Structure formats: C-alpha cells, structure tokens
Amino acid sequence: MPEGPETRRAADRVHEQLAGRRLEQVWFYFPELAQEAASLIGREVSAVDSWGKALLTRFDDGRVLYSHNQLYGVWKLHDAEREPDTGRSLRVRLVAEGRAASLYSASDVSLWEAHRLGEHPFLSRLGPDLLTHGVTVGQAMSRLQDARFRRRGLGGLLLDQALFAGIGNYLRSEILFFAGLHYQARPVDLEEGALAQLAGAILEVTRQAYDQSGVTNRPDWAEADRRRGASRRRWRFAVFERDGLPCHICHTLIQRYSVASRRLYVCPRCQSAP
C-alpha cells in the first residue's frame, strides 16, 4: 500500500489538474454521493491535499471530498474528452474546464463539511500528517514523549497512525536506521539528543521520500550501488529490502525481522539492541 509520501504526490497531481478551476461535470458511483453531484457543479476546486493515506479534495463552499485508495484505488488524470484506457471500475469523476480526474477501484469515498472532518471515523484517529501539517522537530519530540506513546517500542509505534499519519513499512526501517536506533528502543529511554535525532529522521526521511519519489538512500550510497549495477529496488533504500547485503556504514550484513507483523530491516551493529 502506498505510504504518506506517495499519497501526497498523488494529491499534488490532482491539485495541479483541478485546483483553481470550476467544476463542469461531477459523477459519483455511490448512491449517497450521486445525489450531491449537481450541487458541486460550478464550485471551484480550492485545493487537494492529503492526510496520511487519505486524499482530500477541497471545494470553495467548504465541502471536502474524502477518498482513501486502500489497496487498489488509483486516480487517473486525463482530458475530459479522452477516456483512460483501463479495466478498473470508475468511482468518481471530476471535470473542470476540460480537465478530468477519475478515481478508480476505491471503495471509501465520502463528502464532508470541512469543519466536521475531525468527526470522520478514520481521520479522527490519525496523528498529524508529516507533509501536510507543518510538523516541527520540537513538535515531533513532544509527541513521542506523550503518555500514549513514550513506553512503546519504536518498531510497533512508528506504524501507529495515531502517532504520525503516513509512516508505513519502508519508512519505518529507513527512519530507525538513520536515527541509529533498534526497533525495541522506547522514547522514554532515549536521552534528549537521541530523541531529537529520531524526530529529525522522522521528518527528513519522510520529506526525502516525497521529494525524490520514494528514494530514501543517501545520494552517495545510491550512486555507488548504481555503479555496481544494482536495480532501483536495491539502491533506493539504505536498509529496506537489503537483507544479506552489507551496511553502507559498517559493512555488517543487514538482517530482516518481523515486527508488528510486518518485515523490518536492521543493521545489527549500527542499531544495537538497548
């Protein structure tokens, strides 16, 4: 499933396609939404952003279209007169000034008043989005020290969307590696410097994944891997999916574990157990 950076990049593409334009056509597959379609004609798409793995299309009357791609949903952008070549099932189509954005195969779509988004059954359980909500290092440190999170092992905690929205499996491995922390470490046990390093890694690795289309590796390490003929799957990450390969720092072989029912990759020397 795409993680926060991929969802935000998808939101950016839909934003570029529709934002600042007035809707000419609106179509919904879902009966409860279909009755609202006509009321959106003539409304301007004011912005498209994301919260975790959910995409939020905002209209100038204060309403927001919530959509979650889950495993199979995908937005396709196209000219209004040219149907995308796909066998997927159409769920939403928005057309503004000849430009169209069509959502296929998603099942979780709803229309909300912006001021009521906090009541959404999914969004209400999420922590702040690392790319949308302007989280600072200080705020991230404070959140990690919150009573709900501070005594939990980082291997499971980082996947908890109540902590920060958008961190998934590859980000978890990469964040812990660049923070130099074992998955069993707990925020409560970290000195202030280590906590600040963790908070910084959370923000920096997530931002790099967004800026570089999923690449979280250091540029020099990635370039060295490319020169050796490594595939993108290998060179894009520092540790994720690199089990059995040498650590870029110490050359110890990367190990794979199952933590919180998900695979996690660790350098046993750079990330020694607490």
Side-chain angles (χ1 to χ4, degrees):
M1 181 184 292
E3 301 185 17
E6 290 72 36
T7 304
R8 182 53 191 262
R9 289 176 68 87
D12 289 348
R13 290 190 291 271
V14 179
H15 178 92
E16 184 176 354
Q17 182 82 338
L18 299 179
R21 296 177 171 85
R22 295 197 176 275
L23 293 168
E24 301 165 338
Q25 300 175 37
V26 178
W27 183 88
F28 296 117
Y29 166 82
F30 307 99
E32 64 274 19
L33 288 177
Q35 60 187 354
E36 302 289 340
S39 70
L40 288 170
I41 301 298
R43 303 263 47 115
E44 182 179 301
V45 178
S46 56
V48 183
D49 55 40
S50 61
W51 191 345
K53 300 173 186 179
L55 190 142
L56 304 174
T57 304
R58 302 177 183 272
F59 307 108
D60 64 354
D61 65 352
R63 285 182 290 176
V64 181
L65 182 68
Y66 165 94
S67 61
H68 195 299
N69 286 358
Q70 299 170 307
L71 287 176
Y72 303 110
V74 62
W75 283 92
K76 290 184 175 291
L77 310 180
H78 55 100
D79 293 334
E81 304 302 320
R82 182 176 298 176
E83 193 79 14
D85 182 13
T86 178
R88 292 172 176 266
S89 300
L90 181 63
R91 301 306 189 195
V92 175
R93 176 161 292 165
L94 305 175
V95 179
E97 300 177 19
R99 299 186 176 197
S102 298
L103 176 61
Y104 291 89
S105 303
S107 59
D108 190 2
V109 184
S110 52
L111 193 63
W112 289 76
E113 297 288 342
H115 68 273
R116 294 187 57 235
L117 279 178
E119 302 170 21
H120 188 282
F122 176 71
L123 296 179
S124 63
R125 301 196 301 268
L126 297 182
D129 185 283
L130 293 164
L131 295 169
T132 300
H133 296 146
V135 180
T136 66
V137 169
Q139 290 169 338
M141 291 175 65
S142 295
R143 196 157 186 84
L144 288 162
Q145 292 172 312
D146 186 282
R148 293 172 292 169
F149 309 125
R150 62 196 308 264
R151 296 188 180 277
R152 294 174 56 187
L154 292 173
L157 176 60
L158 288 179
L159 293 183
D160 187 344
Q161 300 300 290
L163 175 66
F164 299 112
I167 297 178
N169 212 34
Y170 82 81
L171 286 176
R172 172 180 67 162
S173 290
E174 298 291 284
I175 287 167
L176 287 175
F177 175 74
F178 283 109
L181 293 172
H182 193 270
Y183 61 85
Q184 293 176 332
R186 306 181 304 168
V188 69
D189 299 324
L190 300 180
E191 296 181 355
E192 186 172 357
L195 190 69
Q197 186 167 329
L198 171 60
I202 288 171
L203 297 180
E204 291 164 13
V205 172
T206 302
R207 171 58 62 172
Q208 181 179 334
Y210 166 70
D211 289 340
Q212 300 184 22
S213 302
V215 175
T216 52
N217 204 358
R218 259 178 42 177
D220 55 331
W221 295 345
E223 177 58 28
D225 276 346
R226 284 196 295 270
R227 287 198 302 268
R228 289 190 288 265
S231 66
R232 184 179 189 277
R233 183 175 179 177
R234 291 295 188 193
W235 61 254
R236 65 179 283 202
F237 300 122
V239 288
F240 189 74
E241 294 188 332
R242 296 190 75 251
D243 48 314
L245 296 175
C247 170
H248 289 294
I249 297 174
C250 71
H251 307 296
T252 303
L253 297 185
I254 302 300
Q255 295 182 3
R256 170 177 167 168
Y257 299 91
S258 178
V259 180
S261 302
R262 304 287 298 279
R263 56 201 171 106
L264 185 146
Y265 300 80
V266 173
C267 171
R269 183 172 181 183
C270 295
Q271 300 167 260
S272 57

